[in-house]
Amino acid sequence: MSVAHENGAIQWEEAVLHDAKLTFGKKFSKNNIYAFLFTDLIVLTKKKGDETFLVTDYCPRALLTVNYGDIVPQLPTKEMQAIGKHLIIMTLLENHEGKTIEMIISCPSETERERWLKVTEPLSSENPDEKIYEQWDCPQLVAIHPYQALQPDELDLDITEVVNVHRKMADDSDDGWYEGERIRDGAVVGWFPSNYTKEIPSAHVRAKHIKQRNVLLSYTSKYIDTTTRTLQHSKK
């Protein structure tokens, strides 16, 4: 498997893919894939020719999760060893058919696995009071009070003005300052007080809820699996 940057995408070639139902039940199939990670989309393909690919699946990047796959509680150790080494669990929380697809990807080396994990990890800040968001997955706010900028790096807001938030700075009163861009003129970026705005439904909010639901289902599955094994063991 190799990684190349081409036309704004990150391309993984000949990845060994195991389709797996890890949340409830198990079902496997093994395939080689070519994956293209664009700014806001991941596309899975099969190679048809030297420069042609057949798209088999895709998912918004905001609905993609990637984690280490060395330990999968739902699977016996022998099955995990048969899959391969340097494993990653990739989940398309909502693919082009609106389905959740879970995959175990076997990478040929630890270096390749770290590339997957690095490029898909969420943005983070060294400042614990700061939250940073990608432009393709950011909260949207609407101004509920007008705000007149007092500094050159601040943003004027009219009532009902919609803003994409790039970062949030919290304080002890939770009335921190946010940096964002107005929808009507995206080239203008600045800071504004958060208590002049409120969050509104958006793709970011929907993706967050879907991720929370997936975590809940995962924990439920692990609990059921652990309880079942305990009961089976106690009957022996």
Side-chain angles (χ1 to χ4, degrees):
M1 181 170 66
S2 62
V3 181
H5 293 268
E6 183 176 330
N7 297 328
I10 299 174
Q11 173 182 338
W12 285 278
E13 300 182 352
E14 299 180 13
V16 178
L17 169 66
H18 299 258
D19 293 325
K21 292 184 177 180
L22 301 178
T23 304
F24 293 102
K26 296 176 299 207
K27 183 179 179 181
F28 292 93
S29 62
K30 184 176 180 179
N31 301 284
N32 288 335
I33 65 167
Y34 288 73
F36 296 86
L37 188 63
F38 295 90
T39 301
D40 59 353
L41 189 74
I42 184 168
V43 179
L44 305 182
T45 72
K46 292 182 179 180
K47 194 169 186 178
K48 294 186 64 178
D50 291 339
E51 297 182 358
T52 59
F53 300 85
L54 175 65
V55 175
T56 59
D57 210 345
Y58 56 88
C59 170
R61 191 165 169 182
L63 296 175
L64 169 71
T65 65
V66 179
N67 299 288
Y68 284 101
D70 291 329
I71 298 176
V72 181
Q74 299 94 320
L75 301 180
T77 303
K78 290 184 178 180
E79 289 192 27
M80 291 297 297
Q81 292 175 344
I83 291 174
K85 298 179 179 180
H86 316 299
L87 302 178
I88 290 172
I89 298 176
M90 175 185 288
T91 304
L92 311 185
L93 294 173
E94 191 173 271
N95 73 346
H96 71 286
E97 294 180 332
K99 299 178 180 179
T100 297
I101 305 297
E102 295 171 295
M103 298 170 285
I104 300 177
I105 296 178
S106 177
C107 303
S109 69
E110 182 63 23
T111 299
E112 296 291 342
R113 175 165 73 165
E114 290 300 323
R115 289 179 179 177
W116 275 92
L117 295 167
K118 182 65 176 178
V119 79
T120 56
E121 69 181 0
L123 290 176
S124 61
S125 172
E126 295 181 356
N127 184 345
D129 294 327
E130 180 182 38
K131 291 184 179 180
I132 306 175
Y133 300 92
E134 300 278 9
Q135 289 189 349
W136 45 267
D137 183 25
C138 61
Q140 285 191 334
L141 307 177
V142 62
I144 56 177
H145 305 290
Y147 179 73
Q148 182 68 41
L150 302 177
Q151 301 294 333
D153 62 347
E154 293 181 3
L155 193 66
D156 288 328
L157 294 177
D158 295 328
I159 293 181
T160 72
E161 191 94 66
V162 178
V163 183
N164 284 334
V165 178
H166 295 167
R167 64 182 65 210
K168 296 179 178 180
M169 292 295 296
D171 60 22
D172 294 337
S173 64
D174 291 329
D175 292 333
W177 284 75
Y178 295 170
E179 182 189 52
E181 60 180 356
R182 293 189 299 248
I183 295 294
R184 62 179 170 88
D185 51 1
V188 179
V189 178
W191 292 87
F192 56 92
S194 62
N195 56 358
Y196 279 62
T197 64
K198 69 175 182 179
E199 189 164 0
I200 59 177
S202 64
H204 170 79
V205 172
R206 183 172 181 273
K208 182 171 67 174
H209 290 166
I210 291 175
K211 288 178 180 177
Q212 291 172 343
R213 176 180 178 274
N214 183 70
V215 170
L216 177 61
L217 289 175
S218 179
Y219 279 125
T220 302
S221 174
K222 291 176 182 177
Y223 174 78
I224 293 174
D225 185 68
T226 301
T227 302
T228 301
R229 291 184 181 182
T230 300
L231 290 174
Q232 292 175 344
H233 181 74
S234 64
K235 292 179 181 180
K236 293 182 179 180

